[in-house]
Amino acid sequence: MTAFLDARLFDAGPTAVVVHAPLNNVLGIRTDMISVDPPWRQGNLSYWSHQENKEQDWSEFVNELSRLFTTPYVHLKVGRPECQQWLNVLEELGYSCAVFETTYYAGLNAQIIATRDKASLPKSCSIDSRDATKSVIDWARSIGVRSVFDPCIGIGKMADKWRRNGVFVFGTELVMFRALKSMHRLTSGRRLRKLTMDESEAFVL
C-alpha cells in the first residue's frame, strides 16, 4: 500500500496498519481514499511538532499533506478558518468538492469531501451534522471505498470508526505516544517492532 523512507515503528493487524513515521517520508499510497483530521493551524501544528523536537511551517505542512492527495476520494476534517485554503488546494489538483459544516467540541468545523467524479459527491441531506464522520463513512462505502489512508492518525479515534465499519485503515503519525495509542486502539499493540534502516528504505505494505 505505502512505501516509506523511514518507518520507525509499526504494528499490523487484520483490519489496520499504524506506522510511526514523519509525513515527509511517506513516498506513495495506493488506497481508495484519504480521510484525515490534520492540525488545524500553525499553533496546533507547532504543539505536536515540538513533541518530536521538530518545527514545521504551516505552508510546508500543507504542501507535504497535499502531495499525498492522489486517491480518487479525499475527506478532510478541518477548522472553519482553514477551509478555503484546503478547498483551493483540492480544486487546483482537479477535485470537485463539497463542504458540510458540523460541530466539534464547542465550535464549527468543516467536513470537506473531494472526488475526481463530481457526480459521486454526496448531497447535503445525507450528512448528519451530529455524526458527520459516520455519514461520510456510509457514503464512502456506498461508492465502493474499502481502504483509507490517514496520514495524521493521531490516537486513532476517527480511524477506528472506519475500521469498525468494515474499511481497512492505514495510518501514519509523527508523535510517538500518539502512534502507540493508535496501535493499541486499532491493532492491539502486541506486535510492535522497530525497523532497520535497510528495511525502512524498502518497506512496502
Side-chain angles (χ1 to χ4, degrees):
M1 280 185 181
T2 306
F4 294 91
L5 283 173
D6 176 21
R8 301 169 185 173
L9 189 70
F10 83 103
D11 191 25
T15 57
V17 173
V18 180
V19 179
H20 172 230
L23 190 61
N24 63 358
N25 283 2
V26 181
L27 300 180
I29 59 169
R30 288 193 298 275
T31 56
D32 298 327
M33 184 174 185
I34 285 179
S35 177
V36 59
D37 179 359
W40 284 10
R41 53 189 64 88
Q42 181 66 60
N44 192 220
L45 176 64
S46 295
Y47 175 81
W48 293 119
S49 298
H50 288 162
Q51 304 299 311
E52 292 287 312
N53 297 314
K54 297 180 182 295
E55 181 60 65
Q56 190 169 35
D57 177 72
W58 176 254
S59 60
E60 177 188 1
F61 171 76
V62 171
N63 289 336
E64 285 185 3
L65 184 58
S66 59
R67 173 180 59 84
L68 301 174
F69 295 165
T70 59
T71 54
Y73 310 102
V74 175
H75 165 233
L76 282 169
K77 184 176 181 180
V78 299
R80 200 66 184 90
E82 292 74 48
C83 180
Q84 190 59 52
Q85 181 179 12
W86 287 114
L87 283 174
N88 292 343
V89 167
L90 289 161
E91 289 169 357
E92 286 176 7
L93 292 172
Y95 286 96
S96 297
C97 302
V99 181
F100 306 95
E101 284 194 348
T102 58
T103 55
Y104 184 74
Y105 295 118
L108 284 175
N109 77 92
Q111 304 264 350
I112 302 174
I113 296 176
T115 76
R116 297 291 187 186
D117 174 21
K118 187 175 183 179
S120 65
L121 283 171
K123 308 300 182 186
S124 59
C125 60
S126 67
I127 303 296
D128 184 348
S129 63
R130 295 166 297 180
D131 192 354
T133 300
K134 179 59 167 62
S135 298
V136 171
I137 292 169
D138 290 342
W139 163 79
R141 293 188 67 207
S142 76
I143 58 172
V145 170
R146 294 295 175 264
S147 61
V148 298
F149 173 47
D150 186 342
C152 303
I153 199 169
I155 62 173
K157 292 180 69 175
M158 188 166 75
D160 197 35
K161 286 191 176 184
W162 286 99
R163 185 183 66 88
R164 291 178 181 276
N165 282 276
V167 179
F168 188 89
V169 174
F170 191 102
T172 59
E173 172 57 40
L174 169 67
V175 182
M176 172 64 88
F177 81 87
R178 288 165 66 81
L180 288 171
K181 285 190 175 183
S182 279
M183 290 172 188
H184 283 277
R185 184 190 297 270
L186 302 172
T187 60
S188 82
R190 290 194 294 265
R191 291 174 294 277
L192 301 180
R193 86 179 179 92
K194 293 183 179 180
L195 302 179
T196 67
M197 182 58 69
D198 288 343
E199 286 176 319
S200 297
E201 290 174 352
F203 186 41
V204 180
L205 294 173

